[in-house]
Amino acid sequence: MRKFLPADQLARDERFNTITMQDRFNDPRSALGTGDAATTTAGARQKFRLTPERRDASDGARGLMHGIMVGEIQALEGAGRTCWDFDTAGVAKTSSTGAHSAGAAQNPSGDMDVPFALKLDMARQCWDEARHVEISIKLSDWMGTEIGQFAENTVLFAAACSSDPVLRLAGVNCALEGLAIDVFTTMKEFGDLAGDPFLEFCEDWMLADEVTHVKMGSDWLRKVTENDPERRKKALDFQAVVDKLFSYGGTRSDSDESPIGLARRFRALAGFTDDEVEAINDVSVQALEERRARGAAARASADPASATST
Amino acid sequence: MPITVSPETYTYVSFDAEVIRRIADDLVRALGMQDRTITIDVDETTPLVRTRLTIDGDAIHINADSGAFEDTRLPRQQSEAATATALGRVLLRASDRLTGGFGEAPADDQLTLAQVAAWETYCIGRLERLGIAVNRQRWLYNFRNRHGFTDGGDTAFDQLWTNGGLTWGELCAISDRALALKAAH
């Protein structure tokens, strides 16, 4: 089986259509009018938090649920790949036939080998993600969504393609599973407010697993880089990049303008410090401001008269 | 009466004005609204999914955000099913308002979320009987979010979905009964 599979080679059947972050950035409508400050007057800012009070609440929840489902598929693929792509520390790099494995050929020094216990944690995560995929499919069905009904952005798996396992832990377990804590908390609250008998319950169970995944990631990151501050810094920088990427447009923050809230309590349970959560909020709020500025500039260039309405 | 669609060409999305016109024309004929002047304005600068209706005498004006006609699988591409559903919903609402029985219905922007969901259910059920492909579960979920996840709420949904000749008062009575059950739940 091939090692280090690129995101564009992920196996998907004909129901799915995958898009990249680049496709999303290239949609000119996202700058011109996403329905935020673009459609309000005199600086009034709309609440965009996904709650049942939103007029498009049902479709918004359906879209987010589908995003969760494909995210779970990619998280399963990413954790599985981390088990497979790297050799196990302390295990001889020759097969029973005496041939060197592909991983050994790519990494003869063994500095990218991972401890067996880390692989066990990733294997456990695979089981969790597989269960989450099943739960998400059933929830999507309950909400009236077909598998593949929304385009799939493969950026989560892309974050799991690093050749350094520590960067994968930083990007996927710390940044993206951290985002999952925010998303699940928002959906859990949505289900609770709407009185949905299944949504709140299912999200709560999945949320508990995500807290564990983040904790596993941050614990292993610290352990593996204990004597390598440069590698740790690189990993934390990568985590910040992924956090910023997923804060595009201010998707999640404490502000009601963000569809997804920042789940401070559950993030604390996962081991995030107050300063780390504050840093994520700052990045998201900055992204929100950037979106407003981009929108105003785009509208001014499309119709100079409209520039005064923001 | 001819149906006017604007713009004729699109920059930000790959939409076809002729396809929108054909779908609208099929719906107008099926709903017996050929004597109305209909204009459809598409705002291609926003991916939102809103449609807004203005009735001025015999003229029906529809404003649609591009997301209303978009294929959620293929961003910026047009979906004939989404276009038919979005236009069908708004045309049926116009038809209800114009043909009587809905005179006391508040203006669209004054409707409660529960009233919107009930009227949507009543419209989509009729669209399905016209042969438009719809996902019933999607609309049931929408109705449940506004009227509660109860057996009585689901019964109300079925009444709205299967009916074809309700008045605004009858529609509201069904919605209110479901809301009362939700409150008592």
Side-chain angles (χ1 to χ4, degrees), chain B residues 59-166:
Chain B
I60 295 170
H61 184 74
I62 298 167
N63 276 97
D65 293 343
S66 68
F69 298 164
E70 187 175 13
D71 188 340
T72 51
R73 288 179 174 84
L74 301 163
R76 300 167 69 187
Q77 306 294 312
Q78 189 172 358
S79 157
E80 292 207 17
T83 306
T85 307
L87 286 177
R89 281 154 68 189
V90 74
L91 284 170
L92 272 167
R93 219 164 62 233
S95 171
D96 288 340
R97 286 191 184 277
L98 288 164
T99 53
F102 278 70
E104 70 273 39
D108 283 355
D109 59 2
Q110 301 297 314
L111 295 169
T112 66
L113 293 175
Q115 287 170 336
V116 171
W119 204 346
E120 294 277 31
T121 303
Y122 179 49
C123 290
I124 300 289
R126 286 178 287 169
L127 277 184
E128 185 187 48
R129 291 193 289 281
L130 284 176
I132 306 290
V134 297
N135 183 332
R136 185 179 183 278
Q137 186 68 22
R138 170 188 170 190
W139 298 101
L140 176 59
Y141 177 69
N142 182 54
F143 187 81
R144 284 169 166 168
N145 267 328
R146 305 306 186 202
H147 292 85
F149 291 75
T150 65
D151 290 343
D154 287 3
T155 302
F157 174 87
D158 284 336
Q159 288 173 335
L160 293 165
W161 188 268
T162 54
N163 229 308
L166 294 175

Side-chain angles (χ1 to χ4, degrees), chain A residues 73-286:
Chain A
I73 295 172
Q74 291 174 44
L76 164 61
E77 291 166 319
R81 280 276 148 198
T82 298
C83 287
W84 174 249
D85 287 346
F86 303 101
D87 288 315
T88 308
V91 174
K93 296 184 190 311
T94 51
S95 68
S96 57
T97 59
H100 282 282
S101 70
Q106 287 181 7
N107 181 32
S109 66
D111 60 349
M112 293 298 164
D113 288 359
V114 298
F116 180 68
L118 191 160
K119 286 197 173 188
L120 271 185
D121 274 350
M122 290 299 109
R124 173 246 158 99
Q125 190 172 326
C126 286
W127 280 112
D128 290 345
E129 306 297 8
R131 194 170 59 251
H132 294 182
V133 172
E134 288 197 14
I135 292 169
S136 302
I137 287 172
K138 286 182 191 300
L139 281 176
S140 292
D141 195 38
W142 163 252
M143 296 160 94
T145 306
E146 293 158 25
I147 294 175
Q149 190 171 343
F150 298 88
E152 177 188 11
N153 189 330
T154 52
V155 68
L156 191 154
F157 185 79
C161 288
S162 172
S163 56
D164 184 342
V166 174
L167 263 65
R168 291 192 187 186
L169 291 170
V172 177
N173 283 70
C174 298
L176 293 176
E177 299 283 328
L179 172 66
I181 287 177
D182 301 329
V183 171
F184 284 133
T185 302
T186 297
M187 284 297 270
K188 177 172 133 59
E189 289 169 357
F190 182 96
D192 185 33
L193 289 169
D196 187 322
F198 300 124
L199 187 62
E200 192 256 347
F201 177 74
C202 291
E203 299 293 336
D204 196 37
W205 278 65
M206 293 194 284
L207 174 59
D209 289 334
E210 303 302 347
V211 170
T212 307
H213 298 165
V214 172
K215 191 80 174 63
M216 283 189 325
S218 54
D219 286 352
W220 277 115
L221 193 153
R222 286 181 179 88
K223 200 168 177 180
V224 174
T225 62
E226 201 169 10
N227 300 311
D228 192 345
E230 196 182 327
R231 192 177 179 196
R232 178 179 291 184
K233 183 182 179 307
K234 210 168 143 189
L236 293 176
D237 287 347
F238 183 61
Q239 182 181 333
V241 167
V242 176
D243 268 329
K244 172 139 197 191
L245 194 61
F246 275 85
S247 298
Y248 175 72
T251 307
R252 50 89 189 261
S253 77
D254 285 336
S255 167
D256 277 350
E257 286 181 80
S258 298
I260 299 161
L262 209 48
R264 288 177 178 267
R265 188 167 79 83
F266 290 108
R267 277 183 174 272
L269 288 174
F272 285 101
T273 65
D274 287 348
D275 286 348
E276 286 172 329
V277 177
E278 207 50 57
I280 293 168
N281 188 54
D282 289 347
V283 164
S284 300
V285 169
Q286 187 191 343

